[in-house]
Amino acid sequence: MASVFDCSLYELNKFHYPEGNLTYIYQNVHVPFPISRVFYSYDIPGGEDRGAHAHKLCHQLIVAASGAFEVVLDDGTNKRTVTLNRPFWGLHVPPGIWASEQGFSSGSICLVLASHGYDEDDYIRSYDEYLEYIKSQQTRISL
């Protein structure tokens, strides 16, 4: 089972040019998984939270493409908060971690690179169900 301490920050390539900066990402090179889906959230009203779910199989790399926000990570035992505020840093969230984004600054863009396409069955959207899932996985591993 993954823990919040398995969630790692990845520094992405940053090239500075007089006309602006450039960051690019290759799957299995700059992120530790193949990229099957890319999506982003924007125009998030102040005080709103996003995410608040876990995945059973999907890895994610979360990037503050613009602005800043916090990612609250929870493994059922430990909690950790990571602030994302640079577009060349990505937070890898492996499967089995409850994650939610909060504290969005004005104009923030939350970019997510995902290892799997959208599959509703991969999501755990209730925290109580998440705790039951973690418990069942720990039981399965100990058998």
Side-chain angles (χ1 to χ4, degrees):
M1 291 301 305
S3 94
V4 296
F5 305 108
D6 296 318
C7 300
S8 303
L9 280 170
Y10 283 77
E11 185 172 9
L12 305 170
N13 291 314
K14 177 184 166 188
F15 293 95
H16 178 72
Y17 299 100
E19 53 281 342
N21 296 325
L22 172 72
T23 293
Y24 62 86
I25 301 167
Y26 283 104
Q27 63 183 359
N28 294 321
V29 175
H30 304 109
V31 297
F33 55 83
I35 300 166
S36 294
R37 179 171 55 129
V38 176
F39 62 94
Y40 52 97
S41 300
Y42 55 95
D43 291 341
I44 302 159
E48 289 297 316
D49 296 341
R50 300 282 308 164
H53 62 267
H55 289 278
K56 298 172 189 169
L57 299 173
C58 186
H59 291 258
Q60 295 185 317
L61 186 80
I62 302 172
V63 178
S66 180
F69 54 88
E70 295 177 331
V71 182
V72 179
L73 306 163
D74 184 332
D75 61 20
T77 303
N78 301 294
K79 289 188 179 186
R80 179 177 164 211
T81 300
V82 177
T83 300
L84 295 176
N85 58 7
R86 301 277 189 263
F88 53 90
W89 283 98
L91 175 64
H92 175 223
V93 180
I97 299 294
W98 185 269
S100 62
E101 297 82 37
Q102 64 184 27
F104 289 88
S105 67
S106 178
S108 290
I109 299 173
C110 175
L111 172 69
V112 180
L113 310 175
S115 65
H116 290 69
Y118 178 80
D119 178 3
E120 183 60 33
D121 290 337
D122 186 53
Y123 284 75
I124 305 168
R125 297 190 185 271
S126 157
Y127 189 72
D128 289 338
E129 288 177 24
Y130 170 71
L131 293 176
E132 287 301 317
Y133 174 78
I134 294 299
K135 209 182 292 184
S136 73
Q137 295 301 303
Q138 290 169 340
T139 300
R140 200 178 101 216
I141 290 170
S142 66
L143 293 178

